[in-house]
Amino acid sequence: MTIASPVSLGPTRQVAEFAADLDYRHLPADVQAALQACLLDYLRVASVGERMGWSDWARTYAQHTAGPGHAPVLFASAPADPVSAAFMNTVYAGSLDADDVHVGAMLHPGCIVFSAALAIGQAHHLPGGRVLAAVAAGYEAMIRIALAIQPSHFKRGFQSTSTCGVFGAAVAASALLSKGADRATRIAESIGIGASFCGGLTQFYHSGSTVKRIHAAQAASSGVRAAMLVDSGFSGPVDILEGQDGFARAYADANDFTHISNGLGRDFRLLEVAIKPHACSARVQSAIEAASTVCREHGISTDRIRRVQLGIPKVIQGRLTSNQPGDLQAAQMSAPFSVALAMYQPAGPAAALNVDDFEAGLANPSVMSLTARVECVVDPEVERTSTIESVSARVTVMLDDGKDYSAFVLAPKGSASRPFSMADHEARARAELGKRYPADALDTLMALLDGLAEMNDVSRLAPHLA
């Protein structure tokens, strides 16, 4: 299905018209399957994130700010207003650096878009097919808008999960709230208001802090707020993306709006989304796999490693190459640390490094010593083979006997070219959610999730996720 977008329509209206016309029943089968996979991963990651210490901080914050409402908060009994529910659920799902990612757009869509759509969908008792269509529209909006302004947006110091995430949430929420002949206009106005709420800077790469843990959450809540403001009567500029003082001009040095228009409604960019095996930056997933592979295949123990050379693309140089991460967030954003951790515990291809592994590694002198011996160099082949879907990596290990061993990974497991199977997604979700629910309750929940598209009221999920 291709959404007709007259040449006279600007990018903002093109996105809005696409979202207004999208029908789950008309989505290609592979897009429907991808939505199901992303939903399972969203809940899996949220279940882990809900147990983190910063989620306690978010709950303390919500005690002072959340209002009454009918939007369920995951793994809790009391609902909240949709803005607060979207915030909390995105803290859970989007704070671990384990959530799905679009590498080229440099953002994490699922944690934001699912949280926004479920907050509105459950509060208003909407059908599952309509909610999933809104999710698909949110993914496309968020990814395409970011692609239109990268890489200068990132180079300016913005994190597009936080900035462009507002658009994903606003489109999803407004697509669910709006109806009637002016539905597309309402969605465009929600994008227009949402743009004034965009924010999120990447100084944390250099200075540390825990602010990145709430970047996605502020985007989700801001997008839902924008849609609800339009639903209440406010309006936003319907040319906000392309306007002379609009988002693209303010947030980037250059733009290419063909990333928004080309194939809109036909070629779904959400099919390029990767689902991570490891709880760290998407751009170091291949490096972890290469490091683990070279040690496992050659029986290398870390006490024999004299030096490690990590071949990287230029885009991560200086941002993800610290040899001295000072806190957990910095460790998850450090390619040298991630490589050292993977070498210290080289597991099989299906094993994952979770946030607890990164925390333990920070306290391990052996891991930190090995981190200091990892040298990042721009590798021409890695540069050439890295794409908008995945980043490749080369790891070369120099041993104390003078021997060198190397491994090259073109694309990591979980990327679009090497996806997890649906059975993998179900097993990963069951393994995590099984820590919360007894077997019979988990079976019921999984069956409901499998039939979400046919569900007449998505609020039926709430008691099974409480």
Side-chain angles (χ1 to χ4, degrees), residues 305-351:
I305 297 175
R306 180 169 52 87
R307 190 164 65 90
V308 179
Q309 186 177 87
L310 172 60
I312 61 169
K314 188 175 182 180
V315 69
I316 76 170
Q317 195 173 40
R319 297 290 184 109
L320 303 175
T321 52
S322 171
N323 292 87
Q324 296 179 312
D327 58 22
L328 178 58
Q329 181 70 77
Q332 291 176 277
M333 295 291 106
S334 166
F337 181 89
S338 299
V339 164
L341 183 61
M343 289 179 162
Y344 185 76
Q345 49 186 80

Side-chain angles (χ1 to χ4, degrees), residues 40 44 421-434 442 446:
L40 291 175
R44 177 189 68 85
S421 68
M422 189 59 71
D424 291 332
H425 290 301
E426 290 173 355
R428 279 156 55 95
R430 281 183 174 275
E432 170 55 36
L433 295 171
L442 180 57
M446 294 297 287

Side-chain angles (χ1 to χ4, degrees), residues 42-52 54-56 58-59 62 73-76 85-99 111 115 213 217 436:
Y42 164 78
L43 292 174
R44 177 189 68 85
V45 178
S47 178
V48 179
E50 188 271 342
R51 298 195 294 270
M52 296 294 106
W54 51 80
S55 292
D56 287 333
R59 283 186 284 269
V73 176
L74 290 171
F75 319 119
F87 180 89
M88 289 301 304
N89 291 337
T90 311
V91 169
Y92 299 160
S95 61
L96 290 174
D97 281 301
D99 47 326
C111 59
S115 294
R213 306 292 182 192
R436 293 183 175 276

Side-chain angles (χ1 to χ4, degrees), residues 85 96 131 146 185-186 227 233 236 263 277 283 304 320 327 407 411 413 444 449:
L96 290 174
V131 169
T185 299
R186 294 291 191 90
R283 287 174 173 74
R304 294 187 53 211
L320 303 175
D327 58 22
K413 183 66 177 174
T444 299
L449 294 172

Side-chain angles (χ1 to χ4, degrees), residues 7 24 27 33 62 76 94 100 114 179 194 198 201 214 228 231 253 263 307 341 346 371 418 427:
V7 176
Y24 179 82
L27 290 175
D100 68 20
F114 274 107
K179 50 188 176 293
C198 291
L201 302 174
I214 54 172
M228 293 179 69
D231 193 54
D253 297 328
R307 190 164 65 90
L341 183 61
T371 299
R418 294 180 60 205

Side-chain angles (χ1 to χ4, degrees), residues 136-390:
Y139 266 80
E140 292 300 304
M142 187 172 168
I143 293 168
R144 286 170 175 271
I145 292 169
L147 287 172
I149 58 171
Q150 296 291 21
S152 69
H153 184 65
F154 177 74
K155 290 177 179 178
R156 277 194 178 193
F158 292 109
Q159 195 210 7
S160 51
T161 297
S162 191
T163 53
C164 299
V166 176
F167 300 126
V171 166
S174 186
L176 294 172
L177 286 171
S178 303
K179 50 188 176 293
D182 64 345
R183 190 174 181 219
T185 299
R186 294 291 191 90
I187 296 172
E189 290 177 340
S190 297
I191 296 172
I193 288 182
S196 288
F197 298 162
C198 291
L201 302 174
T202 57
Q203 184 61 30
F204 59 82
Y205 281 122
H206 312 288
S207 308
S209 83
T210 56
V211 68
K212 188 175 184 288
R213 306 292 182 192
I214 54 172
H215 266 189
Q218 79 81 19
S221 58
S222 294
V224 171
R225 182 182 296 110
M228 293 179 69
L229 285 166
V230 170
D231 193 54
S232 299
F234 286 92
S235 63
V238 296
D239 59 351
I240 193 63
L241 298 177
E242 67 274 21
Q244 63 182 11
D245 286 317
F247 178 76
R249 186 165 184 261
Y251 282 74
D253 297 328
N255 64 74
D256 181 359
F257 290 126
T258 63
H259 285 291
I260 292 177
S261 58
N262 285 354
L264 184 61
R266 181 187 68 241
D267 303 323
F268 284 84
R269 308 309 293 257
L270 70 86
L271 295 176
E272 300 165 352
V273 167
I275 293 181
K276 296 182 185 178
H278 309 292
C280 59
S281 171
R283 287 174 173 74
V284 304
Q285 302 286 314
S286 289
I288 290 174
E289 188 173 331
S292 182
T293 297
V294 73
C295 288
R296 187 178 65 254
E297 290 185 350
H298 299 285
I300 297 171
S301 60
T302 54
D303 58 2
R304 294 187 53 211
I305 297 175
R306 180 169 52 87
R307 190 164 65 90
V308 179
Q309 186 177 87
L310 172 60
I312 61 169
K314 188 175 182 180
V315 69
I316 76 170
Q317 195 173 40
R319 297 290 184 109
L320 303 175
T321 52
S322 171
N323 292 87
Q324 296 179 312
D327 58 22
L328 178 58
Q329 181 70 77
Q332 291 176 277
M333 295 291 106
S334 166
F337 181 89
S338 299
V339 164
L341 183 61
M343 289 179 162
Y344 185 76
Q345 49 186 80
L353 297 178
N354 60 42
V355 70
D356 296 328
D357 295 320
F358 280 85
E359 192 164 34
L362 271 175
N364 188 322
S366 297
V367 174
M368 296 304 293
S369 174
L370 184 55
T371 299
R373 301 198 297 277
V374 178
E375 178 190 11
C376 293
V377 297
V378 176
D379 184 305
E381 186 179 11
V382 170
E383 182 82 11
R384 177 175 57 81
T385 56
S386 293
T387 70
I388 64 169
E389 295 182 4
S390 60

Side-chain angles (χ1 to χ4, degrees), residues 13-91:
R13 288 295 306 220
Q14 289 175 5
V15 171
E17 295 281 351
F18 159 73
D21 291 343
L22 202 60
D23 188 321
Y24 179 82
R25 296 168 298 179
H26 299 153
L27 290 175
D30 57 350
V31 174
Q32 293 181 359
L35 289 170
Q36 183 67 15
C38 290
L39 172 62
L40 291 175
D41 196 65
Y42 164 78
L43 292 174
R44 177 189 68 85
V45 178
S47 178
V48 179
E50 188 271 342
R51 298 195 294 270
M52 296 294 106
W54 51 80
S55 292
D56 287 333
W57 308 338
R59 283 186 284 269
T60 298
Y61 166 78
Q63 288 174 2
H64 300 290
T65 60
H70 303 286
V73 176
L74 290 171
F75 319 119
S77 56
D81 66 278
V83 171
S84 298
F87 180 89
M88 289 301 304
N89 291 337
T90 311
V91 169

